[in-house]
Amino acid sequence: MRMAWALQSSGCCRCGLILDAPCVYQTNWRYRPDCCGEQKIVTPAAVPTTQRQLAQRANDRSLQLYKEKHYAAAESQFTAALKLRPDFALAVNNLGFLDYKQEKHPEAARWIENAIKMDPSRAIAHLNLGDARARGGEGEKKAY
């Protein structure tokens, strides 16, 4: 979560004087040094994280785990992303590609077919499906 600091300065904290001129020190804050000059720093409420963002983070973690060759952990993160967002075609395709890299070609083809059903415009999924089918022994005609 991102946290930003905001300055609350509707007026002087002691005398209540409404400040109408910018401070000479901090031009974006209203501050009067000859008054009490006390200011309160307030943190805004955190913005809630959406399911989409959580799924994307899980997908990103699994890609990093894949690069580090931690395939079981990567698979669990892809699965976590799909639990958060079942229509996440990228995670489905990535899960299929992970199976493909582990030479589980029939499973890879099933995952990638599901990714194509979710998002037919995903060109890389079509390529991955052809490769998985060709390596899985389904023949050139069915593969491409």
Side-chain angles (χ1 to χ4, degrees):
M1 284 183 260
R2 285 188 179 183
M3 296 298 288
W5 293 93
L7 188 65
Q8 183 182 30
S9 61
S10 59
C12 177
C13 61
R14 288 194 186 149
C15 64
L17 175 69
I18 304 298
L19 307 171
D20 57 354
C23 168
V24 293
Y25 303 109
Q26 302 289 334
T27 56
N28 57 340
W29 297 337
R30 300 207 180 260
Y31 169 76
R32 187 170 169 180
D34 60 333
C35 195
C36 19
E38 293 183 23
Q39 298 176 5
K40 297 177 186 176
I41 296 178
V42 181
T43 58
V47 177
T49 307
T50 65
Q51 294 291 83
R52 181 183 180 108
Q53 291 170 322
L54 292 173
Q56 184 63 51
R57 287 181 191 165
N59 186 64
D60 294 344
R61 278 192 303 272
S62 56
L63 288 173
Q64 184 61 39
L65 290 166
Y66 164 76
K67 288 177 186 174
E68 295 170 1
K69 299 187 188 294
H70 299 294
Y71 298 133
E75 185 174 353
S76 69
Q77 286 297 309
F78 282 131
T79 305
L82 290 174
K83 286 178 184 174
L84 291 166
R85 195 170 145 218
D87 63 338
F88 196 8
L90 178 61
V92 174
N93 180 66
N94 290 342
L95 192 51
F97 186 72
L98 180 66
D99 283 342
Y100 174 79
K101 283 300 200 178
Q102 296 179 76
E103 298 189 16
K104 301 177 191 173
H105 303 298
E107 292 88 355
R110 281 194 295 275
W111 280 112
I112 297 168
E113 284 170 358
N114 287 333
I116 292 171
K117 287 176 188 172
M118 291 178 193
D119 185 5
S121 66
R122 188 168 294 282
I124 194 72
H126 291 278
L127 178 66
N128 289 342
L129 179 60
D131 289 344
R133 285 182 175 168
R135 291 273 176 102
E138 294 186 34
E140 287 294 319
K141 187 173 183 180
K142 192 172 182 181
Y144 296 96

